[in-house]
């Protein structure tokens, strides 16, 4: 059975930093698009990216 729960497996600190930076860049791109369009599906993608960042950095919070 397939799961919808995301997980991230990282080998070392360098991978962690690279993954976090990539997720942050993706988040900022989607956030910019959401601010321009306010489309509901973009908002869903934005929240998903925010959650992925929160998984890597539990101190990260975001509110729309």
């Amino acid at each position: 059975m397939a799961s919808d729960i995301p997980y991230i497996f990282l080998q070392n600190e360098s991978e962690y930093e690279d993954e976090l930076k990539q997720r942050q860049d993706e988040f900022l791109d989607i956030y910019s698009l959401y601010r321009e369009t306010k489309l509901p599906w973009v908002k869903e993608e934005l929240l998903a990216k925010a959650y992925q960042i929160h998984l890597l950095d539990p101190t990260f919070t975001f509110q729309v």
Side-chain angles (χ1 to χ4, degrees):
M1 177 170 25
S3 173
D4 290 337
I5 300 171
Y7 67 92
I8 301 169
F9 180 75
L10 303 171
Q11 296 289 330
N12 57 43
E13 188 71 24
S14 178
E15 279 188 28
Y16 167 81
E17 291 170 2
D18 292 344
E19 185 69 22
L20 182 58
K21 174 79 169 101
Q22 178 184 347
R23 302 287 174 151
Q24 290 169 335
D25 289 346
E26 292 170 357
F27 172 83
L28 291 173
D29 290 343
I30 295 171
Y31 181 65
S32 176
L33 180 61
Y34 176 70
R35 285 184 49 117
E36 291 176 18
T37 65
K38 303 288 192 209
L39 294 171
W41 69 268
V42 177
K43 182 179 179 180
E44 289 177 22
E45 289 295 318
L46 179 63
L47 294 174
K49 286 296 175 192
Y51 179 67
Q52 291 172 1
I53 293 172
H54 179 74
L55 290 175
L56 290 167
D57 179 5
T59 64
F60 176 80
T61 60
F62 175 75
Q63 294 179 346
V64 178

